[in-house]
Amino acid sequence: MVRLNINGKSIDVDVEADTPLLWVIRENVGLTGTKYGCGIAQCGACTVHINGVATRSCGMQVSEAVGKQITTIEGLAKNGAQHSVQKAWIENDVPQCGYCQSGMIMAAAALLKEKPKPTDADIDAAITNICRCGTFQQVREAIHMAAKSA
Amino acid sequence: MNFIPKMNRRSFIVGTAAAGGGLAIGFDLPLGGPQVIRAADDSPELTAWIVIRPDDTVVIRMARSEMGQGTITGLAQLVAEELECNWSKVTTEYPTPGQSVARKRAWGDFSTGGSRGIRMSHEYVRKAGATARTMLVQAAANQWKVQPAECVAANSVITHTGSGRKVTYGKIAEAAAKLDPPKDVTLKDPKDWKIAGKRLKRLDTAAKTNGKMIYGADFKMPGMLNAAIKQCPVFGGKLASFDEAKISGMKGVKRVVKVGDNAVAVVADTWWHAKSALDKLPITWDEGPNAKVQQAAVNARLKAGFDAEQAFVGNKNGDAKAALAGATKKVEASYAYPWLNHAAMEPLNATALYTPDKCEVWCGTQNGEAAFAATLAASGLPANNCDVHKLMLGGGFGRRGAFHDYVTQAVLIAKQMPGTPVKLLWSREEDMQHGAYHPITQCKLTGGLDADGNLVALHARISGQSILTSVRPEALVNGMDPATFQGFAATGEAAIGYSVPNLLVEHAMYNPHVPPGFWRGVNVNQNAIYLECFMDELAFEAKQDPLEFRRKLMSKHPKHLGVLNAVAEKAGWGKPAPQGIFRGIAQHMGYGSYVAAVAEISVIDGNKIKIHRIIGATDPGFAVNPAQIERQIAGSFVYGLSALFHGECTVKDGRIVQDNFDSYNSMRISEMPKVEAIVMPTGGTPWGGVGEPTICVAAPAVLNAYFAATGKRVRSVPLKNEKIYFA
């Protein structure tokens, strides 16, 4: 049994300590907005925030997340108000298939927290998620838009 | 297949291929009738496509699948345009293939590939909208005892112009649903469009930004178990044995089951438990003779095809061989394009629930009817006892269209556990190594120039794999695969844009054991590189500007020329590029659309390419949503350039070597050029597609720019093998 803090709530889950955090979030906690894409921390579809830092949850054992603040896409909006990144994503019609977008949004939100006015170079360095539909042009525009709105 | 519904005389017949492996059924447009058909919430239908609720909500039903390309939004725009409804009240839903079959295929073709979603259904969905609007107006006129011509429908409200009386669609829908539908309706002239043709937002965005969208991989049911699968790593091999006892005590493991003749699955409480146990399961494969196949041998066979005596002729005029023999200058080059995996972000998956008298499947699919056919075949149950519920696709790109191996497997597993829903999810490794790969081909091109540098002859000999031979043999023409010649054809939806006095395009077919499939763009990907890079070579040898060289051959191809001129003009072709920037140009045609691109690149240290900008143009005839078309242009460039720089699946000992994104890389945002899209519809019929056509011009434009920058021709994909990378 491990105790996790996910989206501000304390949750006890009965899992082996070496289970990847991704699968605990998806299968034991039941939050499926965080996606499985590769399982080897390459694609970023599983990106969540651990104490505010964008982290690929497929490569992190659940035991490492104990005692830390875990935020998933479902917890990004606060008190029912969309995060500026979510608003910019909707305004820019960013997602195509959308499968990678939870991770993309979480990576973008973490970037803006660290660098409220990121340059294109900052975006290039921080957003390394794979999107096979190819939404990158809209992603870049939406990050700049979110930066302006904040 | 044990299900062949009764044919209707008025229906047109959809071949087994189009319906996806066995369903040959008619298509009867049910535009309504005196019997009111009701949705589950009791709201009436006005045609099979439209349900209007008392609160004025308009539910538009579509058979095609949304996988990111925006087709559902576009189709809804077309319906709403003719319906004259309030766009903000529009919502969409999928009919199931089971419902469709039970209603004589009411919603038409479910297949969503070949960029067909809108171009092959725009007419009947617009007719549905116009029919429903006519019925609503008639019902209002009846109520007011006036002529329908005195009434105007707009924004979901009908107004009697004389008296100013008004009624909303929600209020009059019940009466309208009882009327006979009009026998014929007139569709609007697209120049009068107010909803279609506009840059409207997609209907499915919000749920894709907050984790609420349910993809196949996210689907849950009470009591559901999870399955992980391993298939014989060598295509054509079989499962010999496995030692279940070694893992049966592992946590969460419920069952270990054979799946078909080539796979084994572990079923557990969670997928992580299933996968962890499967990784420890001792498995013996009967790999069969294909285990001896190596990539070098495949490549050698492809090269041998250049000189093979037998080849199919896909396009021919004049006498190319004689003209080449007499040409002042002969230019020759050979190109190669590899196998590629679709690598949709969401690995393949399906959930099945089987009981002895019913089988249901929940999955993402590009073709609900093909998934349905797979469900019937695997369950052995009749159509009335089966159904497929479509969920959002985390990408399709062709992998979830013609191939429903994942559905078959889910049903075969569920069949061994009646009453228990089972979700089968492939690992990324399975997805990479059991694909339906972009076909592998090479092409040798020979061109002849006269003394003035005019192209007098062109001979293209394609050597390699045919998709249709493997996937739809019934579509072959005397053994020839016409799709192999996409972009080289004399006429049709993928016609060559050049008039060459002596032309010969051939295909020497060679089908290795790696299964080929339709991969976004299909055969335009390599054919555009072959033709457009070679045109660049010919222009250079003729000492002519690549654009001017092409233009001279295009006077009889005004639409090809139109997009080419558009990108050239926007790029400022002919004027000097900024210091250190080099340009390349390409044009092509596919899926009824004319496409062209200019790439602007710089090259660092001779081998690091920075793509600064790509101008891409498309003429799809009509543009239902220009904003979404722009996104498809940019997105298709990412898919095509990922293949150009990073792609390639290779074979070793009969199996695919690449197994995840570390060995099969994909473009990132830092590598993304600025894409300037030109959407320039010029009308005409049939309409062109949008999801695929532009994919093919990015790569040749970049390769031609690389030559302009370095003087080096790269004739083999991917560039990483030439030690050329993104800067």
Side-chain angles (χ1 to χ4, degrees):
Chain A
M1 192 70 79
V2 292
R3 175 161 294 185
L4 297 175
N5 186 307
I6 299 189
N7 300 332
K9 287 184 194 144
S10 184
I11 299 170
D12 292 330
V13 284
D14 180 17
V15 292
E16 298 84 88
D18 63 353
T19 308
L21 178 61
L22 166 68
W23 292 102
V24 176
I25 291 170
R26 286 182 58 82
E27 300 199 294
N28 303 93
V29 182
L31 296 173
T32 54
T34 306
K35 305 301 186 194
Y36 165 61
C38 68
I40 57 168
Q42 287 286 313
C43 78
C46 66
T47 303
V48 299
H49 294 173
I50 304 291
N51 289 343
V53 177
T55 305
R56 293 185 176 176
S57 62
C58 74
M60 182 180 213
Q61 295 187 2
V62 67
S63 55
E64 299 171 67
V66 171
K68 296 173 182 161
Q69 301 282 335
I70 305 162
T71 307
T72 70
I73 185 75
E74 291 89 349
L76 192 60
K78 292 278 177 272
N79 306 318
Q82 285 168 337
H83 189 280
S84 60
V85 170
Q86 291 170 309
K87 283 186 205 161
W89 244 244
I90 290 167
E91 182 57 31
N92 249 301
D93 240 5
V94 174
Q96 291 189 25
C97 91
Y99 192 82
C100 75
Q101 297 292 331
S102 295
M104 200 76 83
I105 288 168
M106 295 308 281
L111 166 65
L112 287 168
K113 195 175 169 202
E114 191 193 341
K115 294 183 177 169
K117 303 285 175 200
T119 63
D120 278 339
D122 292 333
I123 293 170
D124 288 347
I127 309 296
T128 57
N129 304 45
I130 294 176
C131 171
R132 293 288 286 167
C133 296
T135 60
F136 298 130
Q137 182 146 313
Q138 263 63 43
V139 167
R140 186 184 301 280
E141 285 174 17
I143 292 173
H144 286 309
M145 180 185 279
K148 275 192 193 125
S149 74
Chain B
M1 188 58 50
N2 53 7
F3 172 71
I4 301 174
K6 208 167 74 180
M7 292 295 186
N8 181 305
R9 280 185 184 281
R10 289 179 295 135
S11 62
F12 69 79
I13 306 306
V14 175
T16 51
L23 282 174
I25 51 184
F27 173 23
D28 186 16
L29 290 180
L31 292 169
Q35 281 173 312
V36 178
I37 302 176
R38 293 183 183 282
D41 69 356
D42 211 38
S43 299
E45 275 186 15
L46 285 96
T47 79
W49 287 272
I50 299 162
V51 171
I52 299 183
R53 293 182 186 146
D55 68 356
D56 290 334
T57 301
V58 174
V59 182
I60 298 178
R61 296 173 174 156
M62 292 297 166
R64 312 281 181 177
S65 294
E66 181 57 59
M67 51 188 159
Q69 82 282 39
T71 209
I72 290 300
T73 301
L75 288 168
Q77 284 178 262
L78 289 168
V79 174
E81 179 66 53
E82 295 291 344
L83 182 59
E84 296 283 2
C85 69
N86 181 342
W87 179 250
S88 71
K89 295 273 194 177
V90 167
T91 180
T92 64
E93 67 180 28
Y94 289 138
T96 69
Q99 290 164 342
S100 184
V101 164
R103 294 177 62 176
K104 295 185 185 171
R105 212 162 178 234
W107 292 276
D109 191 354
F110 279 58
S111 169
T112 318
S115 298
R116 283 192 292 265
I118 287 176
R119 69 188 176 111
M120 297 299 193
S121 40
H122 66 87
E123 189 164 335
Y124 59 78
V125 303
R126 286 190 290 155
K127 278 186 178 167
T131 299
R133 185 197 69 237
T134 305
M135 293 163 76
L136 289 159
V137 170
Q138 181 70 53
N142 291 352
Q143 187 175 305
W144 296 326
K145 299 190 171 47
V146 300
Q147 289 301 311
E150 297 167 25
C151 302
V152 177
N155 211 28
S156 292
V157 178
I158 300 161
T159 305
H160 179 236
T161 48
S163 65
R165 280 174 289 186
K166 290 178 189 296
V167 66
T168 66
Y169 281 10
K171 298 273 189 307
I172 202 72
E174 192 66 41
K178 295 189 176 79
L179 299 175
D180 283 325
K183 290 210 165 33
D184 205 8
V185 288
T186 306
L187 298 179
K188 287 184 179 179
D189 187 322
K191 73 176 164 39
D192 298 324
W193 282 352
K194 299 182 301 252
I195 297 172
K198 303 302 176 199
R199 305 173 64 88
L200 300 186
K201 295 275 177 62
R202 296 174 64 107
L203 294 168
D204 55 354
T205 297
K208 291 175 175 175
T209 63
N210 57 20
K212 287 191 177 142
M213 181 62 78
I214 299 298
Y215 298 81
D218 304 329
F219 184 70
K220 283 183 271 206
M221 296 181 76
M224 185 183 83
L225 296 177
N226 292 274
I229 195 164
K230 266 191 189 170
Q231 302 159 84
C232 183
V234 178
F235 304 105
K238 292 185 172 21
L239 175 68
S241 65
F242 55 90
D243 187 359
E244 183 177 351
K246 289 279 195 302
I247 62 161
S248 53
M250 285 181 69
K251 192 169 177 192
V253 172
K254 309 287 184 189
R255 290 281 299 274
V256 184
V257 296
K258 190 178 176 199
V259 188
D261 63 3
N262 74 335
V264 57
V266 175
V267 183
D269 55 351
T270 64
W271 188 78
W272 183 251
H273 281 150
K275 161 123 185 358
S276 302
L278 182 60
D279 286 344
K280 294 201 160 59
L281 179 68
I283 307 169
T284 310
W285 304 108
D286 171 10
E287 294 183 346
N290 290 333
K292 297 193 180 82
V293 177
Q294 310 297 345
Q295 188 67 42
V298 171
N299 293 346
R301 278 289 304 275
L302 289 166
K303 211 159 255 64
F306 294 158
D307 304 314
E309 279 182 32
Q310 260 206 325
F312 297 105
V313 176
N315 194 358
K316 182 178 193 300
N317 58 261
D319 186 341
K321 285 180 180 169
L324 281 169
T328 308
K329 189 171 194 180
K330 217 162 98 171
V331 182
E332 192 177 288
S334 51
Y335 287 78
Y337 200 85
W339 280 306
L340 295 164
N341 186 284
H342 296 81
M345 290 308 298
E346 180 194 20
L348 295 172
N349 65 83
T351 301
L353 173 57
Y354 173 93
T355 61
D357 59 1
K358 195 172 184 192
C359 186
E360 284 181 280
V361 167
W362 293 261
C363 68
T365 168
Q366 291 175 242
N367 187 345
E369 289 178 327
F372 186 66
T375 303
L376 303 196
S379 69
L381 293 172
N384 291 343
N385 302 44
C386 294
D387 216 342
V388 171
H389 308 275
K390 296 200 299 180
L391 299 168
M392 184 59 70
L393 287 78
F397 312 117
R399 180 63 178 89
R400 289 180 161 100
F403 313 96
H404 287 84
D405 39 359
Y406 58 103
V407 170
T408 299
Q409 291 168 350
V411 171
L412 291 177
I413 295 166
K415 213 172 161 180
Q416 299 179 62
M417 307 182 73
T420 301
V422 180
K423 177 162 74 188
L424 168 67
L425 171 65
W426 288 23
S427 66
R428 174 57 63 192
E429 288 76 12
E430 284 297 303
D431 197 289
M432 284 282 182
Q433 298 187 309
H434 293 88
Y437 299 84
H438 188 295
I440 190 166
T441 62
Q442 297 190 4
C443 185
K444 181 176 163 187
L445 299 108
T446 314
L449 301 166
D450 68 14
D452 297 324
N454 296 306
L455 181 64
V456 293
L458 177 64
H459 177 200
R461 164 66 74 96
I462 301 164
S463 171
Q465 213 168 6
S466 151
I467 303 172
L468 296 184
T469 300
S470 164
V471 180
R472 288 179 188 161
E474 69 279 5
L476 296 174
V477 180
N478 298 322
M480 181 177 81
D481 177 348
T484 310
F485 300 101
Q486 269 184 309
F488 274 116
T491 56
E493 66 173 41
I496 190 167
Y498 303 113
S499 301
V500 184
N502 299 281
L503 177 71
L504 177 62
V505 186
E506 304 170 295
H507 175 213
M509 196 187 290
Y510 157 53
N511 291 307
H513 77 297
V514 173
F518 305 101
W519 188 100
R520 190 177 191 176
V522 192
N523 290 305
V524 296
N525 289 297
Q526 74 276 20
N527 287 351
I529 290 176
Y530 300 161
L531 181 57
E532 287 303 289
C533 290
F534 192 63
M535 291 301 284
D536 215 69
E537 299 204 37
L538 289 167
F540 180 79
E541 296 296 336
K543 300 187 171 50
Q544 293 177 32
D545 174 78
L547 173 63
E548 292 308 323
F549 182 80
R550 285 176 171 83
R551 278 177 173 160
K552 286 196 291 184
L553 302 166
M554 295 176 75
S555 60
K556 292 185 180 138
H557 307 273
K559 294 207 175 190
H560 290 83
L561 183 59
V563 289
L564 185 70
N565 284 338
V567 292
E569 188 186 343
K570 184 151 190 177
W573 191 275
K575 295 172 198 153
Q579 181 69 30
I581 303 281
F582 297 87
R583 296 188 181 123
I585 195 165
Q587 66 83 22
H588 212 66
M589 182 191 185
Y591 309 94
S593 291
Y594 304 82
V595 297
V598 168
E600 293 186 336
I601 72 167
S602 57
V603 180
I604 303 158
D605 302 335
N607 75 333
K608 289 187 272 301
I609 297 177
K610 170 78 183 169
I611 311 173
H612 298 271
R613 175 169 82 140
I614 304 184
I615 296 150
T618 184
D619 175 2
F622 293 88
V624 174
N625 188 323
Q628 298 310 323
I629 296 173
E630 289 167 9
R631 284 160 174 76
Q632 288 307 297
I633 293 172
S636 72
F637 286 176
V638 172
Y639 208 70
L641 293 174
S642 288
L644 175 66
F645 281 82
H646 298 305
E648 182 182 51
C649 296
T650 53
V651 161
K652 183 171 188 291
D653 301 331
R655 68 204 78 200
I656 294 293
V657 173
Q658 294 72 18
D659 67 350
N660 208 319
F661 287 117
D662 52 349
S663 47
Y664 185 81
N665 202 355
S666 192
M667 252 175 95
R668 313 299 162 107
I669 201 168
S670 63
E671 297 155 347
M672 179 75 193
K674 182 170 195 284
V675 174
E676 294 179 15
I678 306 171
V679 180
M680 44 181 289
T682 56
T685 53
W687 293 18
V690 162
E692 295 169 276
T694 47
I695 188 170
C696 68
V697 282
V702 168
L703 288 169
N704 292 340
Y706 184 76
F707 174 78
T710 64
K712 285 185 203 147
R713 296 283 176 194
V714 183
R715 303 189 181 93
S716 178
V717 174
L719 297 181
K720 69 173 181 180
N721 292 349
E722 313 290 324
K723 300 203 168 11
I724 299 170
Y725 309 99
F726 279 110

